[in-house]
Amino acid sequence: MTGKERRQQLLDVARALFAEKGFDGTSIEEIAHRAGVSKPIVYEHFGGKEGIYAVVVDREMQRLLDRIVSALSGGHPRELLEQAACALLDYIEDSTDGFRILVRDSPVASTSGTFSSLLNDIASQVEHILGLHFSASGYDAKLAALYSQALVGMVALTGQWWLEARKPKKDEVAAHLVNLAWKGLSHLEHKPKLGIRR
């Protein structure tokens, strides 16, 4: 095996183990054993468990971000919302192990960690799109950041739930997400107020 092939083999083995057991439950010994190599080979390529984990996580984050950003091609905001929701659910379906790695050790509600930083990157993209739409529609464009966090959070939390539930079907989940978000977005009040007194 070439060095490049060995490195990829170790990454594949580590990815499966991290998805199955998480970072803390995975050891260098087990990665080496499953790959049929000695521990020094793993250390030689990655320096340790933290090194191989970082490469696995970076690759998964890039796969998901690329998928979502490339999906945002429609012109109408509803199309963009549909494309983003479908892109996330497609990634969960196609890369279940990768999504497990991203959410296991970095829950969506966390303020730090890999998955939350990825969601912030995605929210920034959505904020830009919403800001343009808000300005054109007479809404306060400064609120685009708040709405982008709400939309991305809704889709991400639903994705975490669907990772295990897998019912209803993916397209139906996406349709319901878009229905909730769009019907709410299409009837936004310019200056919303709470109905209860505080």
Side-chain angles (χ1 to χ4, degrees):
M1 216 179 254
T2 68
K4 185 177 178 181
E5 290 170 335
R6 176 66 70 200
R7 183 177 170 82
Q8 187 57 52
Q9 178 208 22
L10 292 170
L11 285 168
D12 292 343
V13 167
R15 182 179 184 268
L17 282 167
F18 289 135
E20 180 186 335
K21 299 181 173 193
F23 177 78
D24 291 334
T26 301
S27 69
I28 287 292
E29 292 84 2
E30 192 167 8
I31 294 169
H33 176 73
R34 284 209 188 165
V37 299
S38 64
K39 288 191 314 187
I41 298 291
V42 181
Y43 288 116
E44 177 185 319
H45 283 275
F46 299 100
K49 184 167 79 167
E50 293 80 7
I52 196 167
Y53 182 75
V55 173
V56 168
V57 167
D58 286 349
R59 286 183 174 192
E60 289 306 322
M61 286 180 54
Q62 197 57 55
R63 280 185 190 127
L64 178 54
L65 186 60
D66 289 349
R67 196 175 264 219
I68 290 176
V69 169
S70 68
L72 300 176
S73 61
H76 192 274
R78 182 181 172 123
E79 289 175 348
L80 294 169
L81 184 58
E82 288 177 4
Q83 291 163 352
C86 288
L88 177 66
L89 294 171
D90 285 343
Y91 172 79
I92 293 169
E93 185 175 65
D94 299 340
S95 300
T96 299
D97 282 353
F99 192 69
R100 281 189 203 288
I101 291 165
L102 291 177
V103 300
R104 174 177 301 211
D105 297 315
S106 183
V108 72
S110 167
T111 57
S112 63
T114 54
F115 190 56
S116 58
S117 65
L118 175 66
L119 293 179
N120 284 328
D121 288 348
I122 294 167
S124 291
Q125 303 271 342
V126 173
E127 178 183 348
H128 174 71
I129 294 165
L130 283 181
L132 296 173
H133 179 67
F134 277 22
S135 292
S137 302
Y139 295 100
D140 185 353
K142 290 183 275 184
L143 293 173
L146 183 151
Y147 283 97
S148 69
Q149 291 289 331
L151 287 171
V152 170
M154 177 181 74
V155 173
L157 279 172
T158 303
Q160 281 188 281
W161 166 79
W162 189 73
L163 175 66
E164 302 303 330
R166 297 298 172 124
K167 287 182 183 176
K169 291 180 180 178
K170 176 181 61 176
D171 287 348
E172 191 175 346
V173 172
H176 282 284
L177 281 169
V178 171
N179 183 45
L180 174 62
W182 186 251
K183 291 299 181 182
L185 286 175
S186 65
H187 295 97
L188 285 180
E189 298 172 350
H190 285 277
K191 298 211 180 246
K193 301 214 182 303
L194 294 177
I196 57 172
R197 291 192 184 259
R198 294 181 134 256

